[in-house]
Amino acid sequence: MDTQHPLPTPSATGSPAFQGLPSLETLGESSLFDFGKQKEDTSSGEIINQFISSSGQTVQLQKKKMRNANETASGEFSVAGAYSSNGQEWKGDDSYGININNLLDAISAKSNNDEERANVLSSTNSKKRPQKLWVEKWRPKSFIDLVGNEKTNRRILGWLRQWSYAVFKEQLPELPQKTHNNEVTVDMDPLQRPNKKILLIHGPPGIGKTSVAHVVTKQAGFSVAEINASDERAGQFVKDKVHNTLFNHTFSDSPVCLIADEIDGSVESGFIRVLIDIINKDNKATNRLRYLANTQTKSKDKKRRKNLLVRPIIAICNNLYAPALEKLKQHCEIISFKRPSDNALQERLEHICSKERLDVPIKTINDLIDLAQGDVRNCINNLQFMATNSGSLNQISPEKNDSSSWDTNGKDISISWFKLVNQIFRKDPHRSPKDQFSDLLRQVEMNGNYDRILYGCFTLFPSVKYSDIGVMKPAEISDWLYFHDLMFKSLFEHNGELLRYSSSVPLMFFQKFGDIANKTDLRVKNMDFEQREVTRANLDIVNSICQAIKTESPGMAAFIHRTSLIFEVLPYVDYMISTDLTKIKNVKVKNIIIENLLGILKNMQLTLANMNDDSSEFRTVLGVTPPIHKVALLDQKRMKEAMNKRTGNFQLLLAKSEEKRVKKRHLDQVLREKSIQEDARNKRAKVSNNAGNTIDFFKSQYASMKKNSNNEDDSRPVSNSTKGKLSFISANSNAKEEGDDDKAGHKNRSSGENSRMWIKYKAGFSNAVRKNVTWNSLWQ
Amino acid sequence: MSLWVDKYRPKSLKTLSHSSDLTELLTSLSEHPRDLPHLLLYGPNGSGKKTRCMALLESIFGPGVYRLKIDIRQFVTASNRKLELNVVSSPYHIEITPSDMGNNDRIVIQELLKEIAQMEQVDFENSKEGLAHRYKCVIINEANSLSRDAQAALRRTMEKYSKNIRLIMLCDSMSSIIAPIKSRCLLIRCPAPANDELVSILSRIVTEENVQLESGVILNNIAKEANGNLRVATLMLESMALSNEMQLKTSTTIIKPDWIVVVTSMANKIQRERTVGCLVECRAVLYDLLSHCIPAKTILQELTFALVNSPIPGIITQNKMIKIIDLASTFDERLSLGNKAIFHLEGFIAKCMVAIDSDI
Amino acid sequence: MFERFGNAKKRRIDTEGENEQSKPWVEKYRPKKLEEVTAQDHAVTVLKKTLESANLPHMLFYGPPGTGKTSTILALTKELFGPELAKTRVLELNASDERGISIVREKVKNFARLTVSKSSKEDLEKYPCPPYKIIILDEADSMTADAQSALRRTMETYSGVTRFCLICNYITRIIDPLASRCSKFRFKSLEATNALDRLKYISEKESVQYEEGTLEKILEISQGDLRRAITLLQSASKRISYLKVEKIRILQVEELAGVVPTKILHEIAEKVATKDIKIIADYVDTFIISGWSGVSVLNQLHDYYITNDDYDTDFKNKVSWILFDTDAKLTNGTNEHIQLLNLLVKISQV
């Protein structure tokens, strides 16, 4: 029984070790494997499990010694801290030494407590209930509270976990993919930090990027230092601040993680330069460290360590293609955020409603979600508003919640603009039009948000009922909209003195489109906002192309023009690269065309790279970066056609360009290049294979490995693996990326007598099969 | 290997292909580099203003003008905000594009020009070869988008520093250039190539690139579609050649940018169906176009000419056409004065529908 | 590296002599004395008197571009102070300088309150050298209202040692308090005879040959803007020197000035007369593609229709309304193609 402490690199240990990796993600989930439970039963330092390894040896699974659970246990989960004091002493895997089942119990107990407390609160203190903003109250406090984007959340956590060694001096279990990567890149970070030292999160506004970053960092045991747009971020000032947070030691227990929010503004270039500076200095320092480690002269020079970045940085932006980010991007691990799905959001809102003892019909919730367009914060705000406004405390009855009650209830409070918009289209037959008119006028003026109201009216009017000959009324209203536009413009020219005249325009809508037949509330979608966002993103793409051309080949810069790029060049280039190459029979012509296309791509500074497909989350598609099709393609039909046709083309082009590059290189470089290509080809070839059952695959592979293992060289370095094994590994990592039916990506490497094995299972993934799998089923 | 547009771009005055009168004028200017006046080149998009301008500089300064580099310049705005601008420059000239600098074009013009004007003098005195670049050329792209303030700032600079600076301004339309500037410049009109000129340029490219032609008709068609825009014509030719295995038949379909296709189909839809439903569809298309960075004014222009030039017969009569043109001019102005493009574009469509339905 | 281009010699720099030649004629023939200022008799006589008395009010020059406002004040300062002293006594700020409110508060005020430096003896002999400084604010109409109002007090407080001269195109853009503090000089558009004399003088000096009526055409095109006229003359003379033609011809001038040749103008009128929209639309299309400027053709059309006696007053009335409307729209930065088409179509329907 070997109680040796596991070493950083698995190949170095003589004894077989098994490291179970139930990830932290499993916290909120049920444990997947039986042995997970077994672990809890045994106490620390003892043998947990035994099994027969590939070489036929009996292998003992062991636990690692735990240093201090307090370091890692997140502040929120005080329960976790309690466990370490209970003598539960194992750690070093993804679960942070937290006993899952107990934790689950604790959570449920806690939430019960919460509920009880809430009950008490609501019963005793009911009148003061709305004193706390719900947004604050229901802000996600722990990982499981997060809404939507499960996969991305996990990626962030995973990335942060990679810092554990550097920050907590805590040994991380070797991840299968990671070693695989290292085989290619060779360079290992001496501090075992992730390759990219900044995490860049991007996504549309108001979907909780900041919240997620905060929660996840806390969860991983960091304390948060945030620098956002409200802080001074000019040159020296921010430099000092960043250095203070990153490199100085603090008295607080938990290490700091820097969250740089909203970094894509145009004025942020100073801030970004500071970040890049840090990364560059760090690279130098790392290299020096690596050098020192190699030459075995471990002089612990403090000065040298000073530039070393030992704290993670998370950057958040809306727009990935913002020009300011251009330089930073290459240093970043980029994670894209999507809007949470309506279902997830709905679930969350229902949860809140039930906790707040609100009886809100599903339809209302859906309306809210539609209104807010994925903005969780907005939803919750509205929910609270509804609750306080409804007058009745613990229930909002469906019939009371409809807008008629709003009219009577909210007389003296200005009502929200979307309600108002709906009212404008509703003619009340029981009231005199004059009355209603003056009432509406008052409402509109009180609201004051004329622009918003008018956009609402504009979006809604085609879908309401009204009588008209042809499109007379829309045509007439356009004059009034122009009037509003002019009045609204005064906001920028004469301090908005004329803006109040805009109030008459919504009333024009009432006059023209108000009808008795309009009874139901309609949802207002804010198309304009979306369009502006997309425009900005597209414009940034064009700008980045412009910039790339200018910097890479200044000779062309004189003739590159943004408007001509949008109008003419990009659409045509797009046509050119979607030429169907497979159809061409004549090889000579084909080569000429390929030659041309490659030239164009190079000239426009476009590169071919794997991109995430918009339609599916897991598939990566070969595409052009920057994505010119987003600017150039408009026709929906052609877009689909082109996207399908194109991938093949790109593959061919990539191969050709690769080939060209190879030709140019020196001989031995050629060799290396080829091996990489081979690798890539294998990967591609294996993609088709991975559909099969991985467990079966694994078994067969394992059997063949057994035969081979005796022939393997003892001293084989990690990076030197045979082709077959490589393909096996890549196939598995592929399978994992694909997120297929398997919950386990496996990696097996034999070295002489000893066989080692790493198991990682993606517990808790929404697409993983959640069932208990015993070891036996894996081994047989 | 690059786009044919760039590949076949003339680099010197001698190789300029169309409008020989203009080339002659430029040559005469380059003969006397010393008293080169400030120039204002105007003409439609794709008529080769920039190419001519660079060719002119080439003939004055030599091929060094194509040795371009990018400088990053910093400016400080009135509100003490730092502003960075990438400036394309060669040893002999410098380029500014107002749209790069947003609202701060006045400051950039003031600072940059003054800097050049003052710096160059020293540079010139130290120059041992005594080269003639005693003045530096400043090219202003899209001069029509310079704000009034910036144009006003240019006025005196043009006179005061005329020893050290020559301005060459390029614009599509002169209507938004203030009179004082026009009066200080030599105005040069750059006409778009006529159809036969276009065809001859295209056929030269075709032979150079070994594109198989069934007949010259296709080139004619391309020239017609390009409507005098040489850049579009060349791009069109290249994309058609590449997607048709370098063989062009008479019947080969002409490729147009997506956004034009979309606008044209919208014009057809408006003529065929004049209902609120159609209006809603149009709105979606308009949003789509706008989000693809197509300016509202361009959409309006394309839409108008799609309605006027190729109407579905029997729907738009002469009188209705007059009405539509009138509407276009009104809404064009609204787009210029207002900010909310979508209101006006949809308003235009609605009014057009009404006009088509009415029985004048 | 210029050897390759054969004319390397030409690129050599000559001394001062050529310096003068490379100057645009506008600068070269800028009047150096008050007497040389053509056609602004009123202003010149008043200013001459001030030369004698050496007492100068605050001044406001206004008038269309190219009428000699800047030239007048520059000539005046030269005559008042002489070239040496002018450097310390005159501050010239134009729109190319930053003239925000902060500059007015600092730079202008600081300069204004400086006491007058002593003038040297030689200068005193030659020039009147009155004991005040002059601040020239060129293109004052582009100053913000804030900056202008910041000037008000400064002008009064330091009037003992400093005189202001504001120059603008549109007096309406100058705030009233400022305008009331200045004596106003209106610079009218140059009369044909005055300007013609000047042009003749220049062409004589530069030995330019021209056809009969060319100078008149130049003046007509430049519409009283002498600067434009001179620039035009210079480019025309350059053009003929290259073409080895002896004389400048009207056609060349038209081409250089960017105005639409009379021939095309007549063609337009012809097409309009057909009243067929298709024909007009096609013509406008080719017109725009050949790069003609919409604004200049608008002015010419105005001249053509209004001065033409073939049309009756009612017609002219309606046409000028349409022209006005289009001009307004064009100034708002609208699309030339659409506006021009609309203009012609509407005229055709009158």
Side-chain angles (χ1 to χ4, degrees), chain A residues 453-465:
Chain A
I453 292 172
L454 270 171
Y455 263 111
C457 291
F458 176 70
T459 351
L460 273 193
F461 84 79
S463 36
V464 301
K465 301 181 187 79

Side-chain angles (χ1 to χ4, degrees), chain A residues 125-186:
Chain A
N125 217 4
S126 54
K127 269 179 191 161
K128 284 180 189 167
R129 201 175 54 128
Q131 65 196 169
K132 194 176 176 189
L133 271 181
W134 285 8
V135 191
E136 289 307 318
K137 190 173 172 188
W138 293 103
R139 184 179 285 283
K141 294 193 181 61
S142 66
F143 199 78
I144 49 169
D145 282 345
L146 295 175
V147 178
N149 281 319
E150 230 171 294
K151 189 184 174 190
T152 38
N153 294 348
R154 277 168 213 292
R155 271 183 68 192
I156 298 170
L157 190 61
W159 181 82
L160 271 174
R161 285 285 290 148
Q162 293 182 45
W163 282 88
S164 296
Y165 177 73
V167 178
F168 302 107
K169 297 283 175 293
E170 163 205 17
Q171 191 51 55
L172 254 198
E174 203 66 35
L175 299 173
Q177 306 139 281
K178 213 182 152 202
T179 37
H180 173 62
N181 282 342
N182 283 347
E183 275 165 17
V184 183
T185 56
V186 181

Side-chain angles (χ1 to χ4, degrees), chain C residues 217-230 232:
Chain C
K217 185 75 195 177
I218 290 178
L219 282 179
E220 189 196 317
I221 289 168
S222 49
Q223 293 166 338
D225 185 340
L226 192 58
R227 176 173 32 226
R228 197 165 167 212
I230 296 174
L232 205 57

Side-chain angles (χ1 to χ4, degrees), chain C residues 70-282:
Chain C
T70 314
S71 302
T72 308
I73 189 66
L74 287 180
L76 180 72
T77 55
K78 280 219 179 84
E79 283 193 40
L80 277 177
F81 301 112
E84 282 308 308
L85 200 58
K87 278 177 195 156
T88 55
R89 289 286 182 87
V90 179
L91 176 71
E92 189 191 342
L93 289 174
N94 53 48
S96 65
D97 303 291
E98 178 58 56
R99 287 190 306 187
I101 187 157
S102 57
I103 294 293
V104 169
R105 280 184 184 147
E106 286 161 30
K107 200 169 168 187
V108 173
K109 207 169 167 187
N110 282 342
F111 184 83
R113 73 171 156 219
L114 280 178
T115 41
V116 185
S117 58
K118 271 245 174 75
S119 34
S120 66
K121 260 193 186 150
E122 305 96 75
D123 280 342
L124 269 176
E125 278 162 23
K126 275 190 241 164
Y127 305 102
C129 294
Y132 49 74
K133 305 178 299 286
I134 293 183
I135 295 179
I136 304 171
L137 293 171
D138 206 349
E139 295 149 33
D141 37 7
S142 67
M143 284 170 80
T144 59
D146 284 346
Q148 287 186 39
S149 47
L151 262 182
R152 289 156 51 172
R153 198 74 196 119
T154 318
M155 274 173 93
E156 278 175 357
T157 324
Y158 303 108
S159 60
V161 283
T162 307
R163 298 292 135 83
F164 280 84
C165 179
L166 301 163
I167 301 175
C168 65
N169 291 136
Y170 310 103
I171 195 166
T172 41
R173 297 278 292 274
I174 302 292
I175 58 169
D176 281 343
L178 267 195
S180 75
R181 283 175 173 78
C182 303
S183 49
K184 286 169 231 156
F185 295 94
R186 191 181 123 77
F187 282 66
K188 30 187 196 301
S189 257
L190 287 188
E191 275 170 44
T193 45
N194 277 323
L196 200 63
D197 287 347
R198 191 75 188 159
L199 282 187
K200 273 183 185 155
Y201 168 75
I202 291 172
S203 49
E204 216 170 89
K205 281 262 175 180
E206 296 284 341
S207 53
V208 181
Q209 304 287 314
Y210 48 86
E211 258 182 11
E212 203 57 34
T214 313
L215 292 188
E216 285 79 4
K217 185 75 195 177
I218 290 178
L219 282 179
E220 189 196 317
I221 289 168
S222 49
Q223 293 166 338
D225 185 340
L226 192 58
R227 176 173 32 226
R228 197 165 167 212
I230 296 174
T231 320
L232 205 57
L233 187 67
Q234 187 181 13
S235 9
S237 83
K238 212 177 296 165
R239 182 116 165 88
I240 59 158
S241 76
Y242 171 70
L243 293 175
K244 311 278 187 294
V245 188
E246 297 232 317
K247 288 177 176 177
I248 302 175
R249 270 176 308 186
I250 296 179
L251 211 75
Q252 287 165 341
V253 171
E254 276 179 337
E255 199 188 315
L256 279 172
V259 296
V260 180
T262 333
K263 193 181 125 228
I264 294 190
L265 206 64
H266 285 292
E267 263 177 44
I268 294 177
E270 235 171 71
K271 304 285 176 197
V272 168
T274 61
K275 297 186 189 266
D276 186 330
I277 305 215
K278 201 79 201 151
I279 293 173
I280 295 175
D282 285 346

Side-chain angles (χ1 to χ4, degrees), chain A residues 489 538 547 558 561 568, chain B residues 50 86 142 231 291 337 344:
Chain A
K489 224 178 119 194
N538 282 340
Q547 209 54 47
H561 212 285
E568 295 139 9
Chain B
K50 194 60 184 282
N86 287 330
E142 309 166 30
R231 177 169 41 229
S291 63
L337 293 177
H344 308 315

